[in-house]
Amino acid sequence: MALDIKWILCEIEEQYLGDDNPRPWIIGFSGGKDSTMLLQVVWLTLLRIPAELRTRRIYVVCNDTLVENPKIAQFIHRTLDSIQAEAAKQGLPLTVHQTTPKLEDTFWVNLLGKGYPAPNNSFRWCTDRLKINPTTEFIKSTISEVGEAIILLGTRSDESSTRARSIEKSKIHIQSERLQKHVLPNAYVFAPIKEVLTEELWPYLLQVNPPWGGTHRDLVTLYNNATGGDCPLVIDKTTPSCGNSRFGCWVCTVVKKDKSMDALIDNGEEWMEPLADFRDMLQENRNNREWRQKWGRNENEEDENEERWGPYIPEKRAEMLRILLQAQKEVQRTEKDLIIINYQELVAIQVTWHRDSIFNYSVADIYNEVYGTDLDRSDFNNQEVFEKEILKEICDNSRDFDLINELLEIQKSRYILVNNYGLHHDIENHLENHTRLNR
């Protein structure tokens, strides 16, 4: 059966106008082919509706994990800027919102700061922190303001048998079975393009330009160069995974090989090679016993257990940070404005090391070594220099000064990360280690 765009537009229009409760729509936009078609047909539907009847708010929500494939991230940011500007110009009740993980939940703060091992299928700590939680918080805040919300997703039953079964299983009989109940209270899912086939989707995008300007040629080129596949907006654990060939986080170690990044490099994006090398290093050493502690983050060396696979040892956290900054410096020779790890994350890594009683390694020293700068340690630990000097004067010896200063850094790390839970336990652990080492 040929693609019937008119029928899809009519269904969206009827849903938009026919709902007695003008619940806002939240469109999950990932920048891939499915969410692009979804946004396009919703946009074209709005243009069919008289301006005075466009009373339902529409939020276009895109999640940025901060470790997206840089080439894809650049494309998505340009697209979002065009969407926001053109929606305002055309007078549409549509706004763009980008969600990001909290500072304490970012990939680099967890991997390099806390020493979390690179994610794998049995310990995929990244999905909740980077994807689900940020977008869920946005949806919850929207629901709290108006009572209910409808989430529009570009899921298609053609994509996989698992997805087809998921769509069919969760249908509820509301308005001709258009809506599905979402796992979040007072939230529903509407999937207008669920019956569209892949072989219908691409010709449509090639023939119909996006209403926010330009063409879909760049999107098609990205798919061709990266051998296809995109990550959908992840809002719960039932959302399909990205698969082996996909657009997504360039640091992903859940898959054995990142085929999309490799394909982009093969197709002319050689500047990404340092990133691919870093990702491969994470993959190869994830289960390297010499890289891992034999005690947990909330334990100390006295709890050492040969069977315990704890976080990365401090030496390896510092080494990985050095290699990452070297990769960033190399990438910036071509992509001058590209930031792989931002300043806030570097500060959070330093205070997290202090929280874990790691004082032998300095983010400032590592940064200076790589970039040839002369930044002071205080630039990354937010320490008041004058207070430190006063403390030094009143202490009888340097050992007492070091101990008090270290305890202050542990306390400050909790403050910066807005998380005081376990502070007492962290201080007790550090005092015990200090006493044991100085007996």
Side-chain angles (χ1 to χ4, degrees):
M1 183 177 66
L3 177 63
D4 191 343
I5 286 295
K6 289 184 178 179
W7 185 86
I8 293 175
L9 298 182
C10 287
E11 184 183 33
I12 296 172
E13 181 177 353
E14 183 179 343
Q15 177 69 21
Y16 185 89
L17 296 174
D19 195 348
D20 292 335
N21 179 1
R23 297 168 284 189
W25 282 4
I26 300 174
I27 297 180
F29 185 77
S30 69
K33 66 184 189 303
D34 297 337
S35 62
T36 296
M37 180 176 183
L38 169 65
L39 178 58
Q40 179 158 318
V41 293
V42 170
W43 192 303
L44 294 176
T45 299
L46 288 176
L47 295 178
R48 291 160 44 121
I49 300 173
E52 63 272 16
L53 297 181
R54 300 175 195 157
T55 57
R56 188 193 301 272
R57 295 295 309 166
I58 298 179
Y59 304 98
V60 177
V61 181
C62 182
N63 175 242
D64 182 1
T65 63
L66 304 181
V67 283
E68 300 296 323
N69 183 303
K71 190 67 178 178
I72 311 304
Q74 292 169 351
F75 167 75
I76 292 175
H77 289 154
R78 291 196 304 269
T79 302
L80 292 176
D81 288 342
S82 299
I83 291 170
Q84 183 65 80
E86 198 59 31
K89 183 178 178 181
Q90 296 181 27
L92 301 181
L94 182 152
T95 52
V96 172
H97 305 266
Q98 197 159 36
T99 61
T100 57
K102 295 178 182 178
L103 179 58
E104 64 185 88
D105 286 340
T106 67
F107 186 83
W108 300 124
V109 172
N110 280 280
L111 183 91
L112 305 178
K114 301 174 186 176
Y116 279 24
N120 63 6
N121 280 319
S122 61
F123 187 40
R124 194 182 296 195
W125 52 264
C126 52
T127 303
D128 283 342
R129 290 173 173 82
L130 306 186
K131 295 185 176 183
I132 295 178
N133 294 344
T135 304
T136 297
E137 286 303 312
F138 179 88
I139 296 172
K140 284 181 176 179
S141 66
T142 303
I143 292 174
S144 68
E145 291 178 5
V146 295
E148 289 184 337
I150 297 177
I151 304 166
L152 279 70
L153 296 177
T155 52
R156 296 184 299 110
S157 52
D158 174 52
E159 284 291 275
S160 70
S161 57
T162 301
R163 186 181 298 190
R165 287 195 299 270
S166 176
I167 289 175
E168 195 63 34
K169 182 178 179 181
S170 57
K171 281 183 178 177
I172 60 173
H173 298 285
I174 296 180
Q175 295 196 11
S176 304
E177 296 185 344
R178 287 194 186 101
L179 300 184
Q180 308 167 39
K181 191 73 178 70
H182 190 259
V183 292
L184 292 176
N186 300 322
Y188 300 89
V189 173
F190 178 31
I193 65 169
K194 64 180 178 294
E195 303 300 335
V196 176
L197 303 177
T198 302
E199 56 264 31
E200 298 170 334
L201 185 150
W202 280 119
Y204 171 74
L205 292 180
L206 286 170
Q207 294 168 17
V208 183
N209 290 333
W212 49 87
T215 71
H216 291 303
R217 291 291 176 182
D218 287 345
L219 177 64
V220 174
T221 300
L222 277 178
Y223 270 83
N224 287 338
N225 288 345
T227 65
D230 62 298
C231 280
L233 183 77
V234 180
I235 56 176
D236 57 57
K237 293 184 183 297
T238 65
T239 306
S241 62
C242 299
N244 290 329
S245 177
R246 84 286 179 263
F247 298 160
C249 304
W250 68 268
V251 292
C252 183
T253 50
V254 175
V255 293
K256 187 173 182 179
K257 290 291 294 181
D258 188 341
K259 296 180 181 178
S260 63
M261 177 173 277
D262 290 347
L264 284 169
I265 292 172
D266 291 340
N267 283 284
E269 306 295 342
E270 291 92 350
W271 58 269
M272 289 199 295
E273 287 183 357
L275 305 184
D277 292 341
F278 184 89
R279 182 260 175 204
D280 290 344
M281 177 195 69
L282 292 182
Q283 176 79 43
E284 293 165 5
N285 292 285
R286 200 267 179 199
N287 294 324
N288 186 333
R289 195 69 180 94
E290 295 180 357
W291 284 43
R292 303 281 289 277
Q293 291 180 185
K294 298 175 183 177
W295 60 93
R297 290 194 67 244
N298 295 321
E299 303 169 339
N300 53 48
E301 290 188 56
E302 292 181 337
D303 300 309
E304 183 175 321
N305 185 335
E306 288 295 330
E307 302 299 320
R308 186 83 163 88
W309 284 73
Y312 292 122
I313 62 176
E315 177 187 355
K316 293 303 177 182
R317 300 187 209 181
E319 180 182 336
M320 286 189 289
L321 175 59
R322 181 180 296 105
I323 296 172
L324 178 65
L325 289 173
Q326 289 170 341
Q328 176 174 266
K329 182 181 179 182
E330 182 63 28
V331 165
Q332 288 172 341
R333 297 181 189 275
T334 303
E335 302 293 320
K336 292 181 172 50
D337 298 326
L338 184 60
I339 302 296
I340 301 300
I341 179 170
N342 62 48
Y343 177 77
Q344 290 80 6
E345 290 175 302
L346 291 171
V347 172
I349 288 170
Q350 183 66 80
V351 297
T352 302
W353 286 355
H354 288 165
R355 171 181 162 183
D356 285 358
S357 296
I358 300 172
F359 296 98
N360 295 331
Y361 299 97
S362 162
V363 170
D365 291 346
I366 296 171
Y367 191 92
N368 289 336
E369 176 188 333
V370 174
Y371 278 92
T373 52
D374 59 352
L375 297 173
D376 189 81
R377 292 190 177 203
S378 62
D379 290 320
F380 290 100
N381 63 24
N382 200 31
Q383 177 137 310
E384 296 295 337
V385 178
F386 295 108
E387 290 182 3
K388 184 175 181 180
E389 290 303 315
I390 294 172
L391 177 63
K392 199 169 190 176
E393 288 178 9
I394 63 176
C395 286
D396 293 332
N397 56 63
S398 61
R399 192 169 63 188
D400 291 342
F401 166 75
D402 289 340
L403 174 60
I404 295 173
N405 192 48
E406 289 167 359
L407 293 175
L408 287 173
E409 289 296 340
I410 293 173
Q411 189 276 334
K412 189 169 291 185
S413 72
R414 291 288 188 169
Y415 173 76
I416 292 176
L417 295 177
V418 197
N419 180 10
N420 287 320
Y421 179 78
L423 175 60
H424 181 71
H425 183 267
D426 289 345
I427 290 176
E428 279 191 344
N429 270 351
H430 189 67
L431 286 172
E432 287 177 6
N433 287 332
H434 178 83
T435 302
R436 178 169 54 83
L437 293 174
N438 291 280
R439 282 172 182 168

